[in-house]
Amino acid sequence: GALAGVASLAAFLRPSSNGVGLQQLAAAEPLNATGLPNVERPVVVELFTSQGCNTCPPADALAGELAKLPGILPLSFHVDYWDYIGWKDPFALPENTPRQRGYANALDARFIYTPQMMIDGIYDAAGHRQRLVYGAIDRAAQNLPVVAMELDPVKGVVRIPAGEAPREGATVWQVVYDKQHNSDITRGENAGKTLSYYNVVREFNEIGQWTGEAMEIALNLDHNSENDACAILLQTGRNGRMLGAVTMALR
């Protein structure tokens, strides 16, 4: 998206929170066209995007490609800070911008931007830079924490085993998403285009805190019969490294 106080050009790249710059990944990491079939849990890729951002469609398309690959869970978080340009994004949630700001604070970044992809809570790449995104996914998969959560769709609960929690604790997030939406954009930077969006986040809620003890959390999904799927994420703090991810279909 164009520069507008809170956002930067899509080509902007931030170093990761552990000091490893994604610039180091660009030349060395090959494109991963087969996904990660052998990982114990999916690598979570959060795309911050907007229908009002003219640099976002390539990133939205890349999220669709990632959604086809094993071992990768892309989630599209639509933000509302581009709505003023002339097109109100119907998928934007007010809580998505604070989530993105939380990552900016963790990365010591001065602004937020679209399209941004956060890979497993630790790597940050411009979402249309395909080679950087795949490189970051490969890097995350090489050192992947796994807390083996279990979703029980019959009882409607998620079970988290006992284990060693990070010092700052871990947040349990419930994410409800739809697999695909197609939109005709009639105003704004993408006027005249029909665009597709993948794994579109429709609800995002904190449902618990994990401190290392085994726990079971009831899921509130009674009103989500029209949505496609649910993911439970376990994340260090609120914007740190992902520890676990599990998904289930809702219909």
Side-chain angles (χ1 to χ4, degrees):
L3 192 64
V6 295
S8 81
L9 296 175
F12 186 78
L13 200 59
R14 295 296 306 176
S16 73
S17 55
N18 63 7
V20 178
L22 280 180
Q23 293 89 338
Q24 299 173 16
L25 304 177
E29 296 290 349
L31 281 175
N32 185 339
T34 58
L36 303 163
N38 299 316
V39 293
E40 294 182 70
R41 63 134 173 114
V43 172
V44 179
V45 179
E46 297 174 67
L47 167 62
F48 293 93
T49 185
S50 171
Q51 290 189 354
C53 157
N54 65 2
T55 52
C56 285
D60 298 318
L62 178 55
E65 292 302 310
L66 295 176
K68 300 174 185 177
L69 299 177
I72 303 171
L73 174 62
L75 295 167
S76 296
F77 287 79
H78 286 240
V79 296
D80 58 9
Y81 51 79
W82 294 124
D83 286 359
Y84 77 93
I85 292 178
W87 177 257
K88 183 176 174 59
D89 190 326
F91 303 124
L93 300 176
E95 57 265 34
N96 290 351
T97 299
R99 175 144 181 90
Q100 190 181 21
R101 287 191 185 279
Y103 280 125
N105 292 336
L107 295 169
D108 197 26
R110 292 172 295 175
F111 38 72
I112 55 178
Y113 68 97
T114 57
Q116 181 190 27
M117 284 188 179
M118 283 299 307
I119 294 89
D120 228 48
I122 52 172
Y123 297 120
D124 162 30
H128 69 306
R129 300 286 297 277
Q130 181 173 329
R131 188 170 294 275
L132 288 178
V133 170
Y134 275 115
I137 291 169
D138 286 339
R139 175 66 64 89
Q142 292 171 18
N143 183 23
L144 196 66
V146 179
V147 176
M149 299 187 294
E150 178 186 68
L151 274 170
D152 185 334
V154 176
K155 292 188 176 181
V157 299
V158 60
R159 299 185 185 95
I160 306 175
E164 185 174 348
R167 183 174 54 188
E168 59 268 56
T171 303
V172 187
W173 304 105
Q174 176 179 297
V175 189
V176 175
Y177 62 96
D178 293 335
K179 291 183 178 179
Q180 183 174 344
H181 283 285
N182 304 313
S183 298
D184 295 322
I185 315 297
T186 59
R187 298 186 303 278
E189 291 187 349
N190 291 316
K193 296 179 180 179
T194 298
L195 299 173
S196 297
Y197 303 94
Y198 303 90
N199 288 13
V200 179
V201 173
R202 308 308 304 274
E203 290 184 16
F204 182 76
N205 298 299
E206 176 185 344
I207 59 171
Q209 288 285 323
W210 183 67
T211 57
E213 297 181 358
M215 61 189 303
E216 182 176 284
I217 304 173
L219 308 177
N220 177 18
L221 297 168
D222 293 342
H223 61 291
N224 296 114
S225 60
E226 297 301 313
N227 300 116
D228 292 331
C230 172
I232 304 298
L233 309 179
L234 183 64
Q235 183 170 29
T236 301
R238 298 184 69 81
N239 290 96
R241 180 188 288 268
M242 290 292 173
L243 302 174
V246 63
T247 64
M248 71 175 181
L250 294 178
R251 59 175 183 170

